[in-house]
PDB file of all heavy atoms in Angstrom:
ATOM      1  N   ILE A  72      32.233 -36.369 -55.746  1.00 95.00           N
ATOM      2  CA  ILE A  72      32.654 -35.822 -54.454  1.00 95.00           C
ATOM      3  C   ILE A  72      33.774 -34.809 -54.660  1.00 95.00           C
ATOM      4  O   ILE A  72      33.769 -33.730 -54.062  1.00 95.00           O
ATOM      5  CB  ILE A  72      33.099 -36.946 -53.504  1.00 95.00           C
ATOM      6  CG1 ILE A  72      31.897 -37.798 -53.103  1.00 95.00           C
ATOM      7  CG2 ILE A  72      33.799 -36.379 -52.265  1.00 95.00           C
ATOM      8  CD1 ILE A  72      32.260 -39.078 -52.383  1.00 95.00           C
ATOM      9  N   LEU A  73      34.731 -35.151 -55.515  1.00 95.00           N
ATOM     10  CA  LEU A  73      35.843 -34.234 -55.798  1.00 95.00           C
ATOM     11  C   LEU A  73      35.344 -32.957 -56.474  1.00 95.00           C
ATOM     12  O   LEU A  73      35.859 -31.871 -56.212  1.00 95.00           O
ATOM     13  CB  LEU A  73      36.891 -34.921 -56.676  1.00 95.00           C
ATOM     14  CG  LEU A  73      37.698 -36.024 -56.016  1.00 95.00           C
ATOM     15  CD1 LEU A  73      38.574 -36.722 -57.054  1.00 95.00           C
ATOM     16  CD2 LEU A  73      38.544 -35.481 -54.885  1.00 95.00           C
ATOM     17  N   PHE A  74      34.339 -33.088 -57.337  1.00 96.00           N
ATOM     18  CA  PHE A  74      33.800 -31.914 -58.016  1.00 96.00           C
ATOM     19  C   PHE A  74      33.173 -30.948 -57.011  1.00 96.00           C
ATOM     20  O   PHE A  74      33.413 -29.742 -57.051  1.00 96.00           O
ATOM     21  CB  PHE A  74      32.767 -32.334 -59.065  1.00 96.00           C
ATOM     22  CG  PHE A  74      32.093 -31.180 -59.742  1.00 96.00           C
ATOM     23  CD1 PHE A  74      32.759 -30.456 -60.727  1.00 96.00           C
ATOM     24  CD2 PHE A  74      30.813 -30.805 -59.394  1.00 96.00           C
ATOM     25  CE1 PHE A  74      32.143 -29.383 -61.350  1.00 96.00           C
ATOM     26  CE2 PHE A  74      30.190 -29.740 -60.009  1.00 96.00           C
ATOM     27  CZ  PHE A  74      30.865 -29.014 -60.991  1.00 96.00           C
ATOM     28  N   VAL A  75      32.364 -31.484 -56.091  1.00 95.00           N
ATOM     29  CA  VAL A  75      31.706 -30.641 -55.089  1.00 95.00           C
ATOM     30  C   VAL A  75      32.741 -30.004 -54.165  1.00 95.00           C
ATOM     31  O   VAL A  75      32.646 -28.818 -53.833  1.00 95.00           O
ATOM     32  CB  VAL A  75      30.666 -31.459 -54.293  1.00 95.00           C
ATOM     33  CG1 VAL A  75      30.122 -30.657 -53.129  1.00 95.00           C
ATOM     34  CG2 VAL A  75      29.548 -31.905 -55.208  1.00 95.00           C
ATOM     35  N   ALA A  76      33.737 -30.781 -53.757  1.00 94.00           N
ATOM     36  CA  ALA A  76      34.789 -30.229 -52.899  1.00 94.00           C
ATOM     37  C   ALA A  76      35.554 -29.137 -53.634  1.00 94.00           C
ATOM     38  O   ALA A  76      35.946 -28.129 -53.040  1.00 94.00           O
ATOM     39  CB  ALA A  76      35.740 -31.329 -52.455  1.00 94.00           C
ATOM     40  N   GLY A  77      35.761 -29.319 -54.918  1.00 94.00           N
ATOM     41  CA  GLY A  77      36.448 -28.316 -55.724  1.00 94.00           C
ATOM     42  C   GLY A  77      35.646 -27.034 -55.846  1.00 94.00           C
ATOM     43  O   GLY A  77      36.204 -25.936 -55.860  1.00 94.00           O
ATOM     44  N   GLN A  78      34.343 -27.162 -55.941  1.00 94.00           N
ATOM     45  CA  GLN A  78      33.488 -25.981 -56.019  1.00 94.00           C
ATOM     46  C   GLN A  78      33.609 -25.146 -54.748  1.00 94.00           C
ATOM     47  O   GLN A  78      33.644 -23.926 -54.813  1.00 94.00           O
ATOM     48  CB  GLN A  78      32.025 -26.403 -56.210  1.00 94.00           C
ATOM     49  CG  GLN A  78      31.732 -27.018 -57.551  1.00 94.00           C
ATOM     50  CD  GLN A  78      31.853 -26.022 -58.679  1.00 94.00           C
ATOM     51  OE1 GLN A  78      31.333 -24.929 -58.591  1.00 94.00           O
ATOM     52  NE2 GLN A  78      32.568 -26.395 -59.725  1.00 94.00           N
ATOM     53  N   LYS A  79      33.683 -25.810 -53.617  1.00 94.00           N
ATOM     54  CA  LYS A  79      33.786 -25.097 -52.342  1.00 94.00           C
ATOM     55  C   LYS A  79      35.156 -24.453 -52.165  1.00 94.00           C
ATOM     56  O   LYS A  79      35.272 -23.419 -51.528  1.00 94.00           O
ATOM     57  CB  LYS A  79      33.506 -26.045 -51.186  1.00 94.00           C
ATOM     58  CG  LYS A  79      32.063 -26.476 -51.138  1.00 94.00           C
ATOM     59  CD  LYS A  79      31.752 -27.208 -49.876  1.00 94.00           C
ATOM     60  CE  LYS A  79      30.267 -27.500 -49.870  1.00 94.00           C
ATOM     61  NZ  LYS A  79      29.698 -27.430 -48.557  1.00 94.00           N
ATOM     62  N   GLN A  80      36.204 -25.077 -52.726  1.00 92.00           N
ATOM     63  CA  GLN A  80      37.565 -24.572 -52.571  1.00 92.00           C
ATOM     64  C   GLN A  80      38.008 -23.680 -53.728  1.00 92.00           C
ATOM     65  O   GLN A  80      39.096 -23.130 -53.702  1.00 92.00           O
ATOM     66  CB  GLN A  80      38.552 -25.728 -52.426  1.00 92.00           C
ATOM     67  CG  GLN A  80      38.341 -26.556 -51.191  1.00 92.00           C
ATOM     68  CD  GLN A  80      39.323 -27.687 -51.093  1.00 92.00           C
ATOM     69  OE1 GLN A  80      40.302 -27.767 -51.838  1.00 92.00           O
ATOM     70  NE2 GLN A  80      39.087 -28.600 -50.174  1.00 92.00           N
TER      71      GLN A  80
END
Side-chain angles (χ1 to χ4, degrees):
I72 292 169
L73 290 173
F74 176 77
V75 172
Q78 291 292 313
K79 291 190 176 215
Q80 296 180 11

